[in-house]
Short mmCIF file of all heavy atoms in Angstrom, two decimals:
data_model
loop_
_atom_site.label_atom_id
_atom_site.label_comp_id
_atom_site.label_asym_id
_atom_site.label_seq_id
_atom_site.Cartn_x
_atom_site.Cartn_y
_atom_site.Cartn_z
N PHE A 1 5.97 21.18 14.75
CA PHE A 1 4.78 20.96 14.05
C PHE A 1 4.98 19.98 12.74
O PHE A 1 3.92 19.41 12.36
CB PHE A 1 4.17 22.23 13.57
CG PHE A 1 3.54 23.11 14.77
CD1 PHE A 1 3.37 24.35 14.61
CD2 PHE A 1 3.20 22.42 16.01
CE1 PHE A 1 2.76 25.21 15.67
CE2 PHE A 1 2.74 23.18 17.08
CZ PHE A 1 2.49 24.49 16.85
N MET A 2 6.13 20.01 12.27
CA MET A 2 6.37 19.23 11.03
C MET A 2 6.68 17.75 11.40
O MET A 2 6.56 16.88 10.49
CB MET A 2 7.52 19.72 10.27
CG MET A 2 7.19 21.14 9.54
SD MET A 2 6.06 21.03 8.28
CE MET A 2 6.93 20.06 7.12
N VAL A 3 6.97 17.44 12.67
CA VAL A 3 7.32 16.11 13.08
C VAL A 3 6.25 15.10 12.82
O VAL A 3 6.41 13.98 12.12
CB VAL A 3 7.74 16.06 14.45
CG1 VAL A 3 7.96 14.64 14.91
CG2 VAL A 3 9.04 16.78 14.57
N PRO A 4 4.87 15.42 13.12
CA PRO A 4 3.80 14.41 12.87
C PRO A 4 3.63 14.31 11.38
O PRO A 4 3.35 13.10 10.96
CB PRO A 4 2.68 15.11 13.48
CG PRO A 4 3.17 15.97 14.52
CD PRO A 4 4.39 16.44 13.98
N VAL A 5 3.98 15.23 10.61
CA VAL A 5 3.75 15.08 9.18
C VAL A 5 4.89 14.09 8.58
O VAL A 5 4.66 13.37 7.68
CB VAL A 5 3.94 16.49 8.44
CG1 VAL A 5 3.59 16.33 6.90
CG2 VAL A 5 2.97 17.45 9.10
N ILE A 6 6.05 14.16 9.18
CA ILE A 6 7.16 13.20 8.75
C ILE A 6 6.66 11.78 9.07
O ILE A 6 6.80 10.91 8.30
CB ILE A 6 8.39 13.54 9.57
CG1 ILE A 6 8.93 14.92 9.07
CG2 ILE A 6 9.49 12.38 9.27
CD1 ILE A 6 10.19 15.25 9.94
N PHE A 7 6.02 11.54 10.24
CA PHE A 7 5.64 10.14 10.52
C PHE A 7 4.50 9.79 9.63
O PHE A 7 4.36 8.60 9.30
CB PHE A 7 5.16 10.05 11.96
CG PHE A 7 6.24 10.09 12.94
CD1 PHE A 7 6.73 11.22 13.64
CD2 PHE A 7 7.15 8.97 13.12
CE1 PHE A 7 7.69 11.12 14.62
CE2 PHE A 7 8.28 8.91 13.97
CZ PHE A 7 8.47 10.03 14.70
N LEU A 8 3.60 10.62 9.25
CA LEU A 8 2.48 10.34 8.32
C LEU A 8 3.06 9.95 6.96
O LEU A 8 2.56 8.99 6.36
CB LEU A 8 1.44 11.55 8.25
CG LEU A 8 0.54 11.84 9.48
CD1 LEU A 8 -0.21 13.02 9.25
CD2 LEU A 8 -0.31 10.62 9.71
N SER A 9 3.92 10.83 6.43
CA SER A 9 4.49 10.47 5.21
C SER A 9 5.39 9.06 5.26
O SER A 9 5.34 8.30 4.30
CB SER A 9 5.42 11.52 4.75
OG SER A 9 6.48 11.78 5.56
N LEU A 10 6.01 8.86 6.39
CA LEU A 10 6.69 7.58 6.59
C LEU A 10 5.76 6.44 6.53
O LEU A 10 5.95 5.33 6.04
CB LEU A 10 7.46 7.50 7.92
CG LEU A 10 8.28 6.32 8.16
CD1 LEU A 10 9.34 6.13 7.11
CD2 LEU A 10 8.98 6.47 9.50
N LEU A 11 4.56 6.65 7.13
CA LEU A 11 3.47 5.67 7.14
C LEU A 11 2.97 5.36 5.72
O LEU A 11 2.74 4.08 5.37
CB LEU A 11 2.22 6.09 7.94
CG LEU A 11 1.03 5.25 8.05
CD1 LEU A 11 1.48 3.94 8.80
CD2 LEU A 11 -0.07 5.90 8.77
N LEU A 12 2.92 6.27 4.88
CA LEU A 12 2.65 6.07 3.44
C LEU A 12 3.60 5.20 2.74
O LEU A 12 3.36 4.32 2.05
CB LEU A 12 2.41 7.41 2.69
CG LEU A 12 1.10 8.38 3.04
CD1 LEU A 12 1.34 9.61 2.24
CD2 LEU A 12 -0.10 7.51 2.70
N VAL A 13 4.89 5.52 3.02
CA VAL A 13 6.05 4.72 2.48
C VAL A 13 5.89 3.32 2.89
O VAL A 13 6.04 2.30 2.06
CB VAL A 13 7.28 5.37 2.71
CG1 VAL A 13 8.52 4.41 2.15
CG2 VAL A 13 7.43 6.75 2.24
N THR A 14 5.89 3.09 4.17
CA THR A 14 5.82 1.67 4.72
C THR A 14 4.54 1.00 4.19
O THR A 14 4.61 -0.32 3.97
CB THR A 14 5.77 1.73 6.27
OG1 THR A 14 4.79 2.66 6.73
CG2 THR A 14 7.23 2.28 6.71
N ARG A 15 3.37 1.75 4.13
CA ARG A 15 2.29 1.06 3.53
C ARG A 15 2.34 0.59 2.25
O ARG A 15 1.94 -0.55 1.95
CB ARG A 15 1.05 2.09 3.75
CG ARG A 15 -0.31 1.45 3.41
CD ARG A 15 -1.38 2.40 3.72
NE ARG A 15 -2.80 1.94 3.39
CZ ARG A 15 -3.24 2.27 2.28
NH1 ARG A 15 -2.66 3.03 1.32
NH2 ARG A 15 -4.53 1.76 2.03
N ARG A 16 3.07 1.29 1.36
CA ARG A 16 3.27 0.95 0.05
C ARG A 16 4.20 -0.23 -0.03
O ARG A 16 3.92 -1.26 -0.81
CB ARG A 16 3.80 2.10 -0.84
CG ARG A 16 4.26 1.81 -2.24
CD ARG A 16 4.57 3.00 -3.09
NE ARG A 16 3.42 3.74 -3.40
CZ ARG A 16 3.36 4.80 -4.09
NH1 ARG A 16 4.39 5.17 -4.77
NH2 ARG A 16 2.17 5.44 -4.32
N CYS A 17 5.25 -0.18 0.74
CA CYS A 17 6.15 -1.40 0.75
C CYS A 17 5.33 -2.66 1.22
O CYS A 17 5.62 -3.76 0.74
CB CYS A 17 7.36 -1.11 1.57
SG CYS A 17 8.42 0.26 1.07
N PHE A 18 4.50 -2.50 2.18
CA PHE A 18 3.87 -3.70 2.78
C PHE A 18 2.85 -4.15 1.69
O PHE A 18 2.79 -5.50 1.50
CB PHE A 18 3.01 -3.18 3.96
CG PHE A 18 2.15 -4.38 4.53
CD1 PHE A 18 2.77 -5.30 5.27
CD2 PHE A 18 0.86 -4.40 4.48
CE1 PHE A 18 2.16 -6.24 5.88
CE2 PHE A 18 0.05 -5.39 5.11
CZ PHE A 18 0.75 -6.32 5.76
N HIS A 19 2.18 -3.32 0.88
CA HIS A 19 1.33 -3.80 -0.10
C HIS A 19 2.16 -4.60 -1.26
O HIS A 19 1.67 -5.56 -1.78
CB HIS A 19 0.52 -2.75 -0.78
CG HIS A 19 -0.71 -2.33 0.08
ND1 HIS A 19 -1.79 -3.13 0.19
CD2 HIS A 19 -0.95 -1.21 0.87
CE1 HIS A 19 -2.70 -2.58 0.92
NE2 HIS A 19 -2.13 -1.47 1.40
N LYS A 20 3.35 -3.99 -1.50
CA LYS A 20 4.14 -4.65 -2.55
C LYS A 20 4.54 -6.06 -2.05
O LYS A 20 4.68 -6.91 -2.85
CB LYS A 20 5.42 -3.85 -2.88
CG LYS A 20 5.08 -2.63 -3.65
CD LYS A 20 6.30 -1.89 -4.08
CE LYS A 20 6.07 -0.67 -4.94
NZ LYS A 20 7.31 0.14 -5.21
N LEU A 21 4.89 -6.18 -0.71
CA LEU A 21 5.29 -7.44 -0.24
C LEU A 21 4.05 -8.36 -0.36
O LEU A 21 4.22 -9.57 -0.65
CB LEU A 21 5.69 -7.26 1.23
CG LEU A 21 6.15 -8.60 1.98
CD1 LEU A 21 7.38 -9.22 1.21
CD2 LEU A 21 6.43 -8.32 3.29
N LEU A 22 2.86 -7.90 0.01
CA LEU A 22 1.73 -8.81 -0.24
C LEU A 22 1.45 -9.24 -1.61
O LEU A 22 1.15 -10.36 -1.86
CB LEU A 22 0.40 -8.09 0.45
CG LEU A 22 0.40 -7.97 1.93
CD1 LEU A 22 -0.90 -7.27 2.27
CD2 LEU A 22 0.49 -9.24 2.60
N ASN A 23 1.68 -8.35 -2.58
CA ASN A 23 1.59 -8.68 -3.98
C ASN A 23 2.48 -9.75 -4.44
O ASN A 23 2.14 -10.63 -5.15
CB ASN A 23 1.73 -7.34 -4.83
CG ASN A 23 0.57 -6.44 -4.60
OD1 ASN A 23 -0.55 -6.73 -4.24
ND2 ASN A 23 0.76 -5.15 -4.89
N ASN A 24 3.77 -9.68 -3.95
CA ASN A 24 4.72 -10.67 -4.32
C ASN A 24 4.34 -12.04 -3.78
O ASN A 24 4.76 -13.07 -4.35
CB ASN A 24 6.11 -10.26 -3.79
CG ASN A 24 6.67 -9.03 -4.51
OD1 ASN A 24 6.27 -8.79 -5.64
ND2 ASN A 24 7.49 -8.34 -3.84
N GLU A 25 3.71 -12.08 -2.59
CA GLU A 25 3.35 -13.45 -2.04
C GLU A 25 1.95 -13.86 -2.50
O GLU A 25 1.28 -14.79 -1.99
CB GLU A 25 3.24 -13.23 -0.49
CG GLU A 25 4.72 -12.88 0.12
CD GLU A 25 4.56 -12.73 1.58
OE1 GLU A 25 3.46 -12.79 2.14
OE2 GLU A 25 5.70 -12.64 2.22
N ASN A 26 1.28 -13.16 -3.46
CA ASN A 26 0.10 -13.53 -4.05
C ASN A 26 -1.02 -13.66 -3.04
O ASN A 26 -1.81 -14.61 -3.02
CB ASN A 26 0.24 -14.82 -4.89
CG ASN A 26 1.07 -14.76 -5.97
OD1 ASN A 26 1.18 -13.74 -6.65
ND2 ASN A 26 1.98 -15.75 -6.24
N HIS A 27 -1.17 -12.71 -2.19
CA HIS A 27 -2.22 -12.65 -1.14
C HIS A 27 -3.16 -11.47 -1.44
O HIS A 27 -3.72 -10.84 -0.58
CB HIS A 27 -1.68 -12.53 0.24
CG HIS A 27 -1.04 -13.74 0.76
ND1 HIS A 27 -1.61 -14.97 0.79
CD2 HIS A 27 0.34 -14.01 1.06
CE1 HIS A 27 -0.89 -15.88 1.25
NE2 HIS A 27 0.40 -15.28 1.41
N ASN A 28 -3.39 -11.06 -2.65
CA ASN A 28 -4.23 -9.95 -3.04
C ASN A 28 -5.70 -10.39 -2.80
O ASN A 28 -5.99 -11.47 -3.14
CB ASN A 28 -4.03 -9.51 -4.43
CG ASN A 28 -2.76 -8.84 -4.63
OD1 ASN A 28 -2.14 -8.34 -3.69
ND2 ASN A 28 -2.19 -8.75 -5.81
N SER A 29 -6.44 -9.50 -2.29
CA SER A 29 -7.79 -9.73 -2.19
C SER A 29 -8.63 -9.53 -3.38
O SER A 29 -7.97 -9.04 -4.43
CB SER A 29 -8.45 -8.79 -1.03
OG SER A 29 -8.29 -7.44 -1.44
N PHE A 30 -9.84 -9.96 -3.53
CA PHE A 30 -10.62 -9.62 -4.71
C PHE A 30 -10.75 -8.29 -5.18
O PHE A 30 -10.52 -7.86 -6.30
CB PHE A 30 -12.04 -10.22 -4.49
CG PHE A 30 -13.03 -9.99 -5.65
CD1 PHE A 30 -12.84 -10.66 -6.88
CD2 PHE A 30 -13.96 -8.99 -5.53
CE1 PHE A 30 -13.80 -10.40 -7.91
CE2 PHE A 30 -14.81 -8.69 -6.59
CZ PHE A 30 -14.68 -9.56 -7.74
N ALA A 31 -10.89 -7.20 -4.12
CA ALA A 31 -11.02 -5.94 -4.48
C ALA A 31 -9.75 -5.41 -4.99
O ALA A 31 -9.68 -4.60 -5.94
CB ALA A 31 -11.36 -5.09 -3.18
N GLU A 32 -8.55 -5.80 -4.54
CA GLU A 32 -7.33 -5.36 -5.06
C GLU A 32 -7.06 -5.90 -6.48
O GLU A 32 -6.52 -5.12 -7.31
CB GLU A 32 -6.21 -5.69 -4.15
CG GLU A 32 -6.19 -5.12 -2.83
CD GLU A 32 -5.19 -5.71 -1.85
OE1 GLU A 32 -4.63 -6.77 -2.18
OE2 GLU A 32 -4.87 -5.05 -0.82
N LYS A 33 -7.42 -7.16 -6.78
CA LYS A 33 -7.34 -7.61 -8.09
C LYS A 33 -8.17 -6.95 -9.06
O LYS A 33 -7.94 -6.61 -10.18
CB LYS A 33 -7.70 -9.11 -8.09
CG LYS A 33 -6.68 -10.00 -7.38
CD LYS A 33 -7.03 -11.48 -7.50
CE LYS A 33 -6.02 -12.31 -6.80
NZ LYS A 33 -6.41 -13.73 -6.82
N GLN A 34 -9.43 -6.58 -8.64
CA GLN A 34 -10.39 -5.76 -9.42
C GLN A 34 -9.72 -4.37 -9.70
O GLN A 34 -9.92 -3.88 -10.87
CB GLN A 34 -11.72 -5.73 -8.76
CG GLN A 34 -12.88 -5.29 -9.56
CD GLN A 34 -14.12 -5.39 -8.89
OE1 GLN A 34 -14.22 -5.30 -7.67
NE2 GLN A 34 -15.27 -5.42 -9.49
N TYR A 35 -9.16 -3.82 -8.64
CA TYR A 35 -8.59 -2.46 -8.84
C TYR A 35 -7.49 -2.61 -9.87
O TYR A 35 -7.42 -1.63 -10.74
CB TYR A 35 -8.16 -1.94 -7.49
CG TYR A 35 -7.62 -0.58 -7.61
CD1 TYR A 35 -8.37 0.54 -7.42
CD2 TYR A 35 -6.29 -0.36 -7.63
CE1 TYR A 35 -7.93 1.81 -7.57
CE2 TYR A 35 -5.68 0.92 -7.65
CZ TYR A 35 -6.47 1.94 -7.63
OH TYR A 35 -6.04 3.26 -7.58
N GLU A 36 -6.60 -3.58 -9.70
CA GLU A 36 -5.50 -3.69 -10.68
C GLU A 36 -6.07 -3.85 -12.15
O GLU A 36 -5.57 -3.26 -13.01
CB GLU A 36 -4.60 -4.79 -10.23
CG GLU A 36 -3.80 -4.50 -9.00
CD GLU A 36 -3.09 -5.69 -8.64
OE1 GLU A 36 -3.13 -6.72 -9.29
OE2 GLU A 36 -2.34 -5.62 -7.55
N ASN A 37 -7.07 -4.74 -12.37
CA ASN A 37 -7.67 -4.96 -13.65
C ASN A 37 -8.18 -3.68 -14.19
O ASN A 37 -8.03 -3.31 -15.26
CB ASN A 37 -8.70 -6.02 -13.43
CG ASN A 37 -8.18 -7.29 -13.19
OD1 ASN A 37 -7.01 -7.57 -13.50
ND2 ASN A 37 -9.02 -8.23 -12.64
N MET A 38 -8.91 -2.95 -13.30
CA MET A 38 -9.39 -1.65 -13.81
C MET A 38 -8.30 -0.65 -14.20
O MET A 38 -8.43 0.14 -15.11
CB MET A 38 -10.40 -1.00 -12.78
CG MET A 38 -11.10 0.40 -13.09
SD MET A 38 -11.85 0.27 -14.69
CE MET A 38 -13.08 -0.80 -14.26
N GLY A 39 -7.20 -0.70 -13.43
CA GLY A 39 -6.14 0.25 -13.59
C GLY A 39 -5.56 -0.09 -15.10
O GLY A 39 -5.16 0.71 -15.75
N ASP A 40 -5.29 -1.43 -15.32
CA ASP A 40 -4.85 -1.85 -16.64
C ASP A 40 -5.66 -1.39 -17.76
O ASP A 40 -5.31 -1.02 -18.74
CB ASP A 40 -4.70 -3.37 -16.65
CG ASP A 40 -3.62 -3.83 -15.67
OD1 ASP A 40 -2.78 -2.97 -15.25
OD2 ASP A 40 -3.66 -5.00 -15.21
#
């Protein structure tokens, strides 16, 4: 029963890495820039 939870948590990790890769390539959308500005 814990195996699907492992894949879900792995999905979160890969999703975060994917977003970091997009940020490094300067492909952020308007909503992501707005979110970052609001976070700052």
Side-chain angles (χ1 to χ4, degrees):
F1 286 159
M2 293 292 294
V3 172
V5 186
I6 294 176
F7 285 106
L8 288 174
S9 58
L10 182 61
L11 180 62
L12 290 176
V13 176
T14 55
R15 185 171 178 267
R16 173 169 292 186
C17 296
F18 181 70
H19 279 291
K20 285 184 178 180
L21 181 62
L22 288 180
N23 291 336
N24 294 333
E25 295 177 357
N26 296 322
H27 289 299
N28 289 341
S29 62
F30 173 77
E32 291 173 344
K33 292 180 180 179
Q34 195 175 23
Y35 182 84
E36 291 177 357
N37 294 333
M38 179 54 63
D40 296 337

